């Protein structure tokens, strides 16, 4: 089980939001590059970046901060990036800048043809991010709930050729209320591609619960607020996950 530290970017700073609310942001660092280097030193094997301004604007807005992160990490670990990526030229530019995986969220719902084209043009490098509440997908920075069932949509994305699915329970994100294990397992069981759990990771107990269902197809989880406010020690969490996987 991979624990993936998250860096959420807002106005060039590293922040965490509560339930996706832009006006409820806590700033954790003014230097995205330094923050990325910190997680690398702590043993991170992949980094998750979200351009929050981009998610709301519909196009990337923190490209200088993203480049600083890429520079800080070099070729050490892969980076997955999401937030306002809605055309093939933007994907190509981000990959050329050194990003390994592109996360497509809102555009996967609103423009499935684009997702299909992206998977065809950049095979193995497209991840779909499905943010849901009560089983229904949200778009536009979580500001709008759609009528799309998350499992039905995930199956369509799998057919298009996405590399994996990030599933976020937006009712729990940033709330330290625990991963929605049941919903994540249900989604993973319906797919052949891997699922990355997101939203609410708060404790070692969450790590152990996720490791217990890893065999269902959940290969990683994203860690956000808990590793920033100190309620979860990242290095210890990854060590625990490694031990659980080995047993």
């Amino acid at each position: 089980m991979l624990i993936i530290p998250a860096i959420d970017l807002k106005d060039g700073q590293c922040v965490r939001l509560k339930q996706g609310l832009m006006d409820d942001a806590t700033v954790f660092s003014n230097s995205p590059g330094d923050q990325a280097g910190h997680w690398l030193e702590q043993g991170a094997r992949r980094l998750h970046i979200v351009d929050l301004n981009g998610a709301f604007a519909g196009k990337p807005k923190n490209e200088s901060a993203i480049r600083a992160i890429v520079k800080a990490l070099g070729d050490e670990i892969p980076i997955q990036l999401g937030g306002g990526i809605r055309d093939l030229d933007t994907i190509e530019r981000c990959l050329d800048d050194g990003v390994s995986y592109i996360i497509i969220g809102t555009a996967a719902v609103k423009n499935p043809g684009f997702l299909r084209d992206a998977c065809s043009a950049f095979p193995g490098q497209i991840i779909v991010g499905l943010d849901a509440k009560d089983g229904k997908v949200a778009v536009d920075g979580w500001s709008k709930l759609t009528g799309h069932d998350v499992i039905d949509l995930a199956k369509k994305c799998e057919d298009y050729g996405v590399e994996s699915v990030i599933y976020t329970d937006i009712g729990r994100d940033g709330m330290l209320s625990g991963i929605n294990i049941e919903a994540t397992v249900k989604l993973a069981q319906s797919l052949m591609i891997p699922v990355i759990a997101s939203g609410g990771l708060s404790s070692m107990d969450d790590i152990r619960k996720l490791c217990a269902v890893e065999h269902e197809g959940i290969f990683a989880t994203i860690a956000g607020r808990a590793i920033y406010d100190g309620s979860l020690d990242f290095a210890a969490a990854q060590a625990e996950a490694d031990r659980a996987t080995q047993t």
Side-chain angles (χ1 to χ4, degrees):
M1 177 70 63
L2 203 61
I3 317 296
I4 307 175
I7 293 181
D8 288 359
L9 299 172
K10 179 176 182 280
D11 304 330
Q13 298 175 312
C14 303
V15 306
R16 295 304 296 170
L17 307 183
K18 287 186 178 179
Q19 296 185 302
L21 299 174
M22 286 289 272
D23 57 358
D24 196 356
T26 303
V27 177
F28 285 100
S29 174
N30 291 315
S31 175
D34 289 348
Q35 188 62 63
H38 168 74
W39 294 128
L40 179 63
E41 291 173 359
Q42 291 292 305
R45 298 169 199 162
R46 185 186 290 201
L47 197 64
H48 177 81
I49 305 174
V50 178
D51 182 340
L52 293 171
N53 301 103
F56 283 86
K59 58 183 178 180
K61 292 290 187 178
N62 284 281
E63 289 183 278
S64 61
I66 293 164
R67 283 193 288 269
I69 291 171
V70 171
K71 183 177 180 181
L73 296 181
D75 295 326
E76 294 289 329
I77 60 174
I79 296 169
Q80 57 190 46
L81 169 68
I85 300 173
R86 297 178 191 174
D87 63 74
L88 296 179
D89 287 342
T90 301
I91 293 176
E92 186 171 23
R93 186 169 70 251
C94 292
L95 294 175
D96 286 345
D97 283 345
V99 172
S100 304
Y101 301 97
I102 299 298
I103 303 162
I104 298 176
T106 293
V109 181
K110 292 188 169 182
N111 188 0
F114 161 61
L115 178 63
R116 185 171 52 243
D117 290 345
C119 290
S120 177
F122 309 101
Q125 293 183 287
I126 304 300
I127 297 172
V128 71
L130 297 180
D131 308 323
K133 186 174 184 179
D134 300 325
K136 300 299 181 183
V137 176
V139 296
D140 295 334
W142 302 355
S143 61
K144 299 174 186 174
L145 272 179
T146 72
H148 292 282
D149 178 82
V150 67
I151 290 179
D152 290 344
L153 186 57
K155 287 181 177 178
K156 291 177 182 177
C157 294
E158 181 177 44
D159 290 341
Y160 294 153
V162 300
E163 191 271 340
S164 56
V165 172
I166 298 174
Y167 173 67
T168 304
D169 184 326
I170 63 175
R172 301 190 183 212
D173 190 77
M175 303 302 290
L176 301 178
S177 56
I179 291 278
N180 189 336
I181 300 287
E182 183 181 358
T184 307
V185 167
K186 187 177 179 182
L187 176 63
Q189 288 174 334
S190 71
L191 301 173
M192 297 296 291
I193 55 176
V195 170
I196 300 173
S198 175
L201 183 75
S202 61
S203 67
M204 284 295 211
D205 190 48
D206 284 333
I207 300 295
R208 286 187 281 269
K209 287 178 180 177
L210 281 167
C211 288
V213 296
E214 184 176 15
H215 64 280
E216 300 286 2
I218 304 167
F219 94 102
T221 184
I222 294 169
R225 180 171 290 273
I227 59 172
Y228 284 95
D229 69 12
S231 58
L232 182 67
D233 181 288
F234 170 77
Q238 184 61 72
E240 174 69 21
D242 290 342
R243 282 193 296 271
T245 302
Q246 292 166 3
T247 56

